[in-house]
Amino acid sequence: MSFRCFSRPGVASALTAALLLLLSFGAANRAEAQERRYIVHGRIVGRDTIPHVTMPEVRCFAKARFKSERQKRKWTRYIYNVKRALPYARLLAKEFRIINDSLAILESDDERELYLERKEKELFKKYEYQLKHLTVRQGRILIKLIDRETGTTSYEAIRMLKGRFKAFWWQGIARMFGSNLKTQYDPEGEDKYLENVVLLIDMGVY
């Protein structure tokens, strides 16, 4: 690019400054355009290449409507119970994964048994106080959420870690309080409302 010279130095310097300013704006716009570029998949349709972008899932929920104030209070209480149980379900699921990973690298049954005894004492010490303060309803929700978070029922988790007799024993205790450790999580059926509440909690609605 060449610049024409003028006899008046004031005009020349002004023109040079203007051109430099335009060039700087052009460079800035090109840099900004480069920063905004995205690489996406494409589909060829005829002679055209059409961008193909997978959008994140968007879930829609109907606004809760209540026939009475009593029904509204019941729903509010249910949300509270889920919010109480959900953090423990996720903590226990994390502990369960750690235990499974540790058991996989232990070589002998004696080592696994000693490890499980140590972990049992550790978990009771860590969570017993908090879990004892859950209500019966919250405990039932917790059992379902453990299955949701681990893909394993509470009964199977106990049987896997402590043996069939211990699982049978704890199932009997649970039955006395109207619970069932073999309960499986069914997000499309019986636990549809529970699943919706969990999703709304994760979205920050509740």
Side-chain angles (χ1 to χ4, degrees):
M1 181 183 292
S2 61
F3 299 97
R4 184 178 177 184
C5 296
F6 292 82
S7 57
R8 296 173 61 186
V11 175
S13 60
L15 181 61
T16 302
L19 287 170
L20 290 173
L21 187 61
L22 287 172
L23 288 171
S24 66
F25 275 131
N29 288 335
R30 284 196 300 273
E32 186 178 356
Q34 288 176 351
E35 289 178 0
R36 291 181 180 177
R37 288 177 183 172
Y38 299 96
I39 298 175
V40 298
H41 294 286
R43 286 169 49 183
I44 298 175
V45 179
R47 294 185 177 182
D48 294 329
T49 302
I50 302 174
H52 182 74
V53 181
T54 302
M55 301 295 291
E57 182 181 17
V58 177
R59 290 177 177 266
C60 299
F61 300 90
K63 186 177 180 180
R65 300 182 184 278
F66 307 101
K67 295 180 180 179
S68 65
E69 189 64 28
R70 181 175 179 274
Q71 190 182 56
K72 183 179 179 180
R73 287 197 303 269
K74 187 176 179 181
W75 179 246
T76 303
R77 187 67 185 177
Y78 183 71
I79 294 170
Y80 171 78
N81 288 336
V82 176
K83 291 179 74 173
R84 281 275 291 160
L86 183 59
Y88 293 115
R90 288 179 170 166
L91 284 171
L92 293 172
K94 183 179 178 181
E95 297 283 3
F96 187 69
R97 287 191 291 270
I98 291 172
I99 290 171
N100 271 341
D101 291 342
S102 299
L103 289 174
I105 61 176
L106 295 175
E107 296 181 355
S108 69
D109 291 339
D110 290 339
E111 286 179 317
R112 295 188 187 95
E113 188 173 346
L114 287 172
Y115 172 76
L116 288 174
E117 287 180 4
R118 180 170 59 83
K119 287 298 294 184
E120 183 180 17
K121 292 176 182 178
E122 179 185 315
L123 292 176
F124 264 90
K125 184 178 180 180
K126 193 173 182 179
Y127 298 112
E128 184 180 16
Y129 178 80
Q130 297 97 314
L131 294 178
K132 275 186 175 180
H133 285 76
L134 295 180
T135 65
V136 173
R137 291 180 185 274
Q138 291 165 2
R140 290 174 184 169
I141 292 171
L142 177 62
I143 289 171
K144 287 179 175 288
L145 291 178
I146 287 174
D147 186 19
R148 180 186 190 271
E149 297 299 318
T150 64
T152 305
T153 65
S154 299
Y155 180 87
E156 283 300 314
I158 296 172
R159 187 189 65 79
M160 188 186 306
L161 298 177
K162 298 300 296 177
R164 190 177 299 275
F165 178 76
K166 278 283 183 94
F168 177 79
W169 169 261
W170 283 110
Q171 170 70 341
I173 298 296
R175 283 293 195 182
M176 290 173 61
F177 291 94
S179 299
N180 183 1
L181 298 181
K182 295 182 179 181
T183 299
Q184 292 184 325
Y185 192 72
D186 183 11
E188 300 297 329
E190 181 182 348
D191 302 311
K192 184 177 180 179
Y193 287 114
L194 176 55
E195 179 69 11
N196 287 345
V197 171
V198 171
L199 293 174
L200 288 169
I201 289 173
D202 288 340
M203 291 166 60
V205 177
Y206 293 141

